[in-house]
């Protein structure tokens, strides 16, 4: 009987601890390798900047992509051959992994801001 490698993808909430904060769905996800998964982030209303981060166990947090006014400003660390990140006007942002790999096991975080740092 073969073994299947499962990997955990955890989601943490960032922003204020109120009903008006950033929301991420799902809170956590367990999947097999080779599956497509989509993570959703609802930024705080009125915020113009949105960030997706990844933290692999034992490593520091790394920004995957940041948006301002629904346009990606820096996505140089995003593995574009497998990851798709969108933030369309007036809608939540989505991060889709087309085919999960064992190395994708990480904490994925989303944050929003009313301004961006230059």
């Amino acid at each position: 009987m073969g073994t299947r490698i499962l990997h955990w993808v955890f989601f943490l909430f960032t922003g204020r601890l109120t009903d008006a904060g950033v929301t991420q769905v799902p809170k956590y996800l367990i999947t097999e390798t080779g599956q497509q998964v989509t993570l959703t982030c609802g930024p705080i209303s009125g915020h113009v900047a949105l960030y997706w981060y990844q933290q692999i166990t034992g490593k520091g947090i790394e920004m995957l992509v940041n948006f301002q006014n629904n346009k990606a400003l820096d996505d140089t660390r995003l593995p574009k051959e497998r990851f798709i990140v969108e933030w369309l006007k007036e809608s939540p942002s989505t991060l889709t992994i087309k085919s999960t790999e064992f190395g994708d096991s990480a904490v994925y975080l989303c944050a929003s801001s009313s301004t961006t740092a230059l």
Side-chain angles (χ1 to χ4, degrees):
M1 182 165 125
T3 60
R4 292 183 188 211
I5 297 176
L6 298 179
H7 55 126
W8 293 79
V9 182
F10 292 97
F11 302 89
L12 300 178
F13 293 96
T14 58
R16 294 175 282 174
L17 297 175
T18 68
D19 290 339
V22 171
T23 57
Q24 287 184 239
V25 178
K27 281 178 101 171
Y28 62 90
L29 174 68
I30 302 170
T31 187
E32 296 180 36
T33 56
Q35 300 299 305
Q36 177 172 307
V37 297
T38 299
L39 318 177
T40 302
C41 172
I44 295 172
S45 180
H47 281 191
V48 297
L50 184 130
Y51 309 86
W52 278 101
Y53 299 94
Q54 177 189 54
Q55 185 172 16
I56 297 171
T57 302
K59 296 185 179 180
I61 192 166
E62 184 174 288
M63 185 181 68
L64 294 175
V65 62
N66 76 299
F67 288 86
Q68 183 170 3
N69 296 316
N70 304 100
K71 181 178 178 183
L73 295 181
D74 182 1
D75 63 359
T76 56
R77 291 187 184 97
L78 187 70
K80 294 174 194 70
E81 63 282 353
R82 294 185 314 103
F83 283 53
I84 300 168
V85 182
E86 297 179 312
W87 187 28
L88 304 175
K89 194 170 189 152
E90 304 296 322
S91 66
S93 175
T94 57
L95 183 152
T96 300
I97 304 173
K98 292 188 237 180
S99 179
T100 57
E101 295 178 0
F102 185 74
D104 298 330
S105 182
V107 175
Y108 291 85
L109 304 138
C110 176
S112 69
S113 174
S114 58
T115 61
T116 59
L118 297 177

